[in-house]
Amino acid sequence: MVGVQRGLLILMAAGAIALGPSAPKTSSVGQGTGDDGTSAQSSYQIDQKEYYIDSATLWGLQPGLKVTIDSVTSVAGGQKPVIEFHVTDDLGRPLDRYGLLSPGTIAVRYTVATWDGHYYTNLILNSSGAPNRDSSGKYQDLEVGHYKYTSSVALPAFDVSKPVTLFVGARRTVTDVLGKDYFVNVTKDFVPSTGAATTNWSVTTTAKCNQCHDPIAPHGGNYREAKVCAICHNKNNFPTRNANGDWYNGQNWFHQIHSSNSTAVGAITYPQDIRKCTTCHDTGTSSSVDKVGVWYTYPTRAACGGCHPTVNFVTGAGHSAQNLPQADDSACASCHPPQGTDEYDGSVINSHIVPSDSKQLKGLSVAILSATNVAPGQKPTVTFKITENAGNAIAPNSTGLSISLTLNGRTPTDYYMQPISQSAAGAAYDATTGIATYTFTTAVPATAKGTWTFSAQYRRAITLTKAVGGTISYTEGGANPIFNVSVDASPVVARRTVVDIAKCNACHYYLPNLFSHGGQRNSIQFCVQCHNPNGTDAARRPADHSADPAESISFAHLIHRIHSGDLLEKDFTVYGFSGASNFNEVTYPGDRMDCLACHTGSGETATYTIPIAAGALNVLTARDYFPLEGPATAACLGCHDSKDYAAHAYINTATFPSGNVAEACGTCHGQNTDLSATKVHAR
């Protein structure tokens, strides 16, 4: 039946085209070529589903959804708003909201909210008084894709000389023909009495939300813009706590969720330090209408209480050493001005300084300058220099500083052993040049070949002074230098880059603040030296678990498992320096199909494509369904950890008489195949 419906939709879409403007000879969308041989892939990316539909079919399917608000009238107390709008596809062609002349029905919803300079008040409410939206009014079909809607709800009395925001949200249901639905949110800010345009609410941007959420899409996916969320989630529509103790006022609710203080939504795994307010909030100065910077210019009990749940503003308990009660928000800024003169001085900005951003840190950086005696059997000598942000050099034995030099080898694609690591605190130091010299006490293995890598891990304990309220202990580290050498006169080959630390930090802000072994392991190219295909947690398992199969810590396996977290079918517990870490509670806020959220490259060169780089090692996976997985298998089963997926991978893995293990993943999932990694992950 679905197939028949799909065929009818395509035919009807073709009919709509015949009735409308003539189709060009060459579409600018989809895969394939037009009549003149021109490629038709330019409008979509390789990670979008539309990219894989041939041009002719895609033209008939009319992908995309765009809503343009033409006008809005009758926005006043006792009146029912009238909205005129156009609905088009990606190429600007009209879409039929009934789904008869173009594929997919289009459902539209509306609401109107007043803006008081700080908060919205939604004017459309449900029977219980909660903020709502309207979708049951009357339509006037002016032409295909051009409609006039009269709301079913008469607005309550309000001041029409004050700004309002009209929200129009639309959902086009085409999963059965395009494999996805389309959503769009648009707003119009204006003054009803004059029609003059205004600028309402700009506390944050959707782009900031989507650094992690990719995309943010609550309530069935219908709401996609941060501003739209604030139209309902405000203190005027949610002035009191509900039965479960949570406050859906966005000021409080959103902070609760991201600080793991909510009792209504369960465990939330916020991936960075909550003190980094600008991860979500925009910066800038505040004015009467443009609230950029409102997070630090207008502190409130609701906003602050979301992250500080132990403060009781009614009684004052937990509110500073004096336990100061606050009946309203009027006095907040008296003690908490936007920014003071000293770190952690009680001002809003200075109170939320993440320690890694403190100006009290002098900074640390290590550069490896040279490496000699690197042939197999020799003990290498390394020269290096440690500097602070000011450019001054410091000695390896400086007070509080810990530094180790490491050496590791590749095959040549992957590191295959744990690094040779030695403390360099006793290195010879020339105070005149700032250069330190260290000779390893361990020789390069006699079997070493190709490119080997020298690096350094280093840190020092810092005590940050708070202008108000004591001190903060922090461990300061720096980027791990990568210095490649050839141990046999063959060309030096750098290890491939699969993941970019900047992409990690788009969500984590500064990854070492969370997982970095004391703040000293800060570079992906250093991480993969320990987290290599042969790496496991065997050495860290306690005596009562030493006989258990070891868990792989190879990045391909480990990182995919961590970011799959609560979606995993198998238990994922890893033993490390601090004991056992169970990752089955991790909630990943993005879409795991967006591989480029972490991986480097793009299109055909993206580093999640198959086959994996030549020479990549098989991965020890003793705790999985089979104990030795190929590099592609280990990566894919990192997310797809069920027995069915494992069985599929296993029957496509061969063990040759030589003992070598090979996988056949690329046969079906290689680039330019029907089930390529880019295609099956397309969104």
Side-chain angles (χ1 to χ4, degrees), residues 149-206:
Y149 176 82
T150 301
S151 175
S152 65
V153 180
L155 299 178
F158 68 97
D159 187 347
V160 295
S161 68
K162 302 296 184 181
V164 302
T165 294
L166 166 70
F167 158 69
V168 178
R171 176 176 189 160
R172 184 184 177 196
T173 304
V174 284
T175 294
D176 58 341
V177 292
L178 278 165
K180 63 192 292 185
D181 286 354
Y182 293 101
F183 301 85
V184 66
N185 291 179
V186 294
T187 57
K188 182 179 178 67
D189 299 340
F190 63 100
V191 177
S193 60
T194 64
T198 64
T199 300
N200 301 341
W201 197 88
S202 54
V203 176
T204 188
T205 63
T206 305

Side-chain angles (χ1 to χ4, degrees), residues 76-94:
Q79 298 188 28
K80 297 180 178 180
V82 178
I83 306 157
E84 187 174 339
F85 62 96
H86 278 80
V87 184
T88 56
D89 69 2
D90 283 342
L91 293 181
R93 298 172 298 173

Side-chain angles (χ1 to χ4, degrees), residues 256-611:
Q256 280 193 51
I257 291 173
H258 291 86
S259 60
S260 303
N261 291 326
S262 173
T263 61
V265 297
I268 296 292
T269 312
Y270 188 59
Q272 62 171 270
D273 194 314
I274 61 172
R275 289 171 290 189
K276 190 62 179 178
C277 302
T278 53
T279 293
C280 300
H281 288 283
D282 279 350
T283 57
T285 57
S286 174
S287 66
S288 59
V289 293
D290 185 357
K291 302 312 298 179
V292 172
V294 68
W295 68 273
Y296 61 87
T297 60
Y298 192 72
T300 66
R301 295 163 300 154
C304 298
C307 289
H308 301 280
T310 59
V311 175
N312 187 321
F313 291 103
V314 175
T315 66
H319 187 204
S320 82
Q322 289 75 38
N323 293 324
L324 301 172
Q326 298 295 310
D328 54 40
D329 298 332
S330 61
C332 296
S334 299
C335 293
H336 303 289
Q339 186 169 21
T341 57
D342 300 305
E343 292 189 336
Y344 310 104
D345 59 6
S347 64
V348 179
I349 292 178
N350 287 357
S351 293
H352 293 90
I353 295 172
V354 178
S356 58
D357 293 345
S358 173
K359 293 181 180 179
Q360 297 178 52
L361 300 177
K362 295 181 178 181
L364 276 179
S365 178
V366 171
I368 295 178
L369 307 177
S370 68
T372 56
N373 298 329
V374 297
Q378 294 183 333
K379 296 179 179 179
T381 295
V382 177
T383 63
F384 61 98
K385 189 173 186 178
I386 311 171
T387 56
E388 296 179 325
N389 289 342
N392 57 294
I394 61 175
N397 62 351
S398 297
T399 302
L401 178 67
S402 170
I403 180 169
S404 297
L405 296 180
T406 64
L407 173 62
N408 208 351
R410 286 184 278 118
T411 62
T413 305
D414 288 324
Y415 295 99
Y416 60 86
M417 55 181 276
Q418 296 304 97
I420 299 169
S421 180
Q422 298 186 354
S423 171
Y429 179 64
D430 185 335
T432 302
T433 63
I435 295 175
T437 303
Y438 178 79
T439 299
F440 277 74
T441 60
T442 301
V444 176
T447 57
K449 296 180 180 179
T451 300
W452 279 56
T453 302
F454 290 93
S455 190
Q457 54 184 346
Y458 50 100
R459 62 187 178 188
R460 64 180 170 188
I462 298 292
T463 299
L464 304 177
T465 301
K466 299 174 66 174
V468 177
T471 60
I472 297 174
S473 296
Y474 181 70
T475 301
E476 180 182 25
N480 309 105
I482 300 297
F483 191 87
N484 294 317
V485 299
S486 173
V487 299
D488 59 5
S490 62
V492 172
V493 178
R495 200 255 188 203
R496 71 191 190 281
T497 299
V498 178
V499 173
D500 184 354
I501 189 75
K503 291 194 171 189
C504 302
N505 288 338
C507 199
H508 292 292
Y509 177 60
Y510 185 59
L511 193 59
N513 285 343
L514 295 178
F515 302 106
S516 192
H517 306 289
Q520 63 181 344
R521 299 174 187 172
N522 306 330
S523 305
I524 296 297
Q525 293 296 70
F526 185 84
C527 297
V528 295
Q529 294 189 42
C530 286
H531 293 279
N532 63 66
N534 291 321
T536 73
D537 68 350
R540 297 294 167 187
R541 288 186 164 265
D544 57 340
H545 287 276
S546 60
D548 294 346
E551 183 62 84
S552 170
I553 61 169
S554 173
F555 252 27
H557 176 86
L558 177 76
I559 300 303
H560 286 103
R561 286 282 165 95
I562 290 175
H563 289 85
S564 295
D566 63 337
L567 301 177
L568 293 173
E569 294 190 13
K570 290 176 63 64
D571 174 76
F572 189 58
T573 300
V574 181
Y575 285 88
F577 293 95
S578 301
S581 295
N582 180 275
F583 295 100
N584 292 81
E585 297 298 322
V586 173
T587 52
Y588 183 62
D591 184 346
R592 292 187 305 160
M593 292 180 66
D594 184 9
C595 302
L596 287 176
C598 301
H599 283 273
T600 57
S602 62
E604 301 288 344
T605 64
T607 54
Y608 68 91
T609 57
I610 296 172

Side-chain angles (χ1 to χ4, degrees), residues 241-256:
R241 293 182 179 273
N242 61 26
N244 63 20
D246 288 298
W247 202 353
Y248 290 114
N249 169 11
Q251 282 187 303
N252 186 268
W253 175 241
F254 300 148
H255 286 97
Q256 280 193 51

